Amino acid sequence: MISTGFAGAVLIGCALLSLPVATESGERADLIDALFTSTSAVCVTGLITVDTGTYWSTFGEIVILVLIQAGGLGIMTLATLLAVLVSRRLGLRARLLAQVETKSLTLRDVRRVVRNIVLFSLGTEAVIAVILTAVLLVGHDRPWGSAAYEGVFHAISAFNNAGFSPHSDSLMSYVSDPWVCLPIACAVILGGLGFPVIFELRRSWRRPRGWSVLTRITLAMTLVLLAVGTLTLTAAEYTNPRTLGPLETSNKWLAGFFASVMARTAGFNSIDTSAQGPESLLATDILMFIGGGSAGTAGGIKITTFGLLAYVIWAEMRGEPGVRVGRRRVPSANQRQALAVALTGIAAVVVSTFILLGLSTYSLDQVMFEATSAFATVGLSTGITDDLPTGGQVVLIVLMFIGRIGPLTVASALALRDRVRRYELPEERTIVG
């Protein structure tokens, strides 16, 4: 159902973007461009084959915003909200679908959870939009209409970790402006934390000892990855004359922090990504692949997956019989799920990189960066997306779709039901490593 819902939204978006009114020229967009843009918007990625600001008309950009909002909140979440508003009732089937999409741990109060998700999302986007509009009006002398439109566009795109921008250079013209970069970075972080973590922090932010394993891992790994990413990317590009080199010291750290945040599946860039060195490209690959928090608008294999695997390795190195996070023990089923998600993601990136290398003449650095960005629904690019052959763009479309709904969601959609084994075979240990 979830796979079908997202596929339906992609097709509807493709049909709307194929209308002549959706382009500035008044001509129909190529089918591959419309399909690619629709998939990128619904999957909140941000990769593009045509320039958003110059190719699409205002109607086309509004369609993209609607698709971003629908993809960020989740097709099933919007359908559940509509059912509540129309009938004031919520059946078991709708509750189950909402539970899967919102990652709610119980079936109770799903309506309240969905309502809070929508209110929090729209409220955050409104606040960021107001801030950006005021900054553009006062600090950049933009006309009222232009400032408001740009503020709303970037607020929706940032909170949903989409990375779409009406500017051809994304946010490079604001690389030294903290009043633009920091609100967008805050929106990205909030959207990427995940709704369960946000709601738990709202309820019990004064009692960290009672936080769940999800909240503990998400917050700890977010802080670590933001710090490590900022240090690594700033150091790697510090003297690069095409990126951070010409900037003042304070602006270098601002751009490094912004790049670290955006690599966590947001997709905006304030420096030229294609001009980055191989070290920072590899560091960005790693950050993109890890992604953001579960049940949020970010992509990747998720912070909880990466953090849980780190705890598993630490427990194994210490010879512990189980994995403990704080005062909680993590069940073995969660550990297997984390391993399956990570390995499935690695397989998707490796296979698609191999295919793209065969279809294009670009280097391994560029192709792997593109594949990782698509799978992790990031949107950063070294500038090769629109130059890839049609077959390569189709590969990226499939990657974006799989990355949004999750490798395990695809696998579970193919499996009719869980298999129950009523017996166990004798145990035999084997050599590992």
Side-chain angles (χ1 to χ4, degrees), residues 271-425:
I271 58 175
D272 187 0
T273 306
S274 63
Q276 292 181 219
E279 300 87 355
S280 59
L281 287 179
L282 178 59
T284 305
D285 282 339
I286 297 173
L287 292 174
M288 290 192 300
F289 186 76
I290 295 173
S294 297
T297 55
I301 64 171
K302 307 299 185 184
I303 291 176
T304 46
T305 302
F306 180 78
L308 184 54
L309 289 177
Y311 276 105
V312 170
I313 295 173
W314 178 245
E316 191 65 27
M317 292 175 61
R318 298 184 61 185
E320 296 284 349
V323 178
R324 293 181 297 177
V325 180
R327 298 176 178 269
R328 298 290 187 272
R329 178 173 56 87
V330 180
S332 59
N334 271 157
Q335 301 172 38
R336 292 196 302 269
Q337 290 169 1
L339 183 62
V341 169
L343 292 180
T344 303
I346 292 173
V349 172
V350 170
V351 171
S352 58
T353 299
F354 184 84
I355 296 174
L356 290 174
L357 283 173
L359 294 174
S360 67
T361 59
Y362 294 106
S363 65
L364 176 61
D365 285 347
Q366 294 173 303
V367 169
M368 186 170 68
F369 190 95
E370 208 78 9
T372 306
S373 179
F375 170 77
T377 66
V378 179
L380 290 174
S381 175
T382 56
I384 68 173
T385 308
D386 56 338
D387 293 327
L388 289 173
T390 302
Q393 294 176 354
V394 171
V395 171
L396 295 183
I397 289 174
V398 174
L399 271 178
M400 289 188 291
F401 188 80
I402 293 176
R404 178 61 182 96
I405 64 177
L408 287 185
T409 305
V410 175
S412 61
L414 298 176
L416 294 178
R417 61 181 57 147
D418 293 332
R419 295 183 178 180
V420 178
R421 187 180 299 276
R422 302 188 183 279
Y423 63 92
E424 287 293 342
L425 297 174

Side-chain angles (χ1 to χ4, degrees), residues 114-156:
V114 173
R115 183 191 67 223
N116 288 341
I117 288 174
V118 174
L119 292 178
F120 176 75
S121 300
L122 298 181
T124 303
E125 291 168 359
V127 172
I128 299 299
V130 170
I131 294 174
L132 292 177
T133 300
V135 170
L136 293 174
L137 279 172
V138 177
H140 296 271
D141 296 326
R142 295 289 181 84
W144 165 255
S146 175
Y149 180 76
E150 186 176 333
V152 172
F153 195 104
H154 284 114
I156 295 176

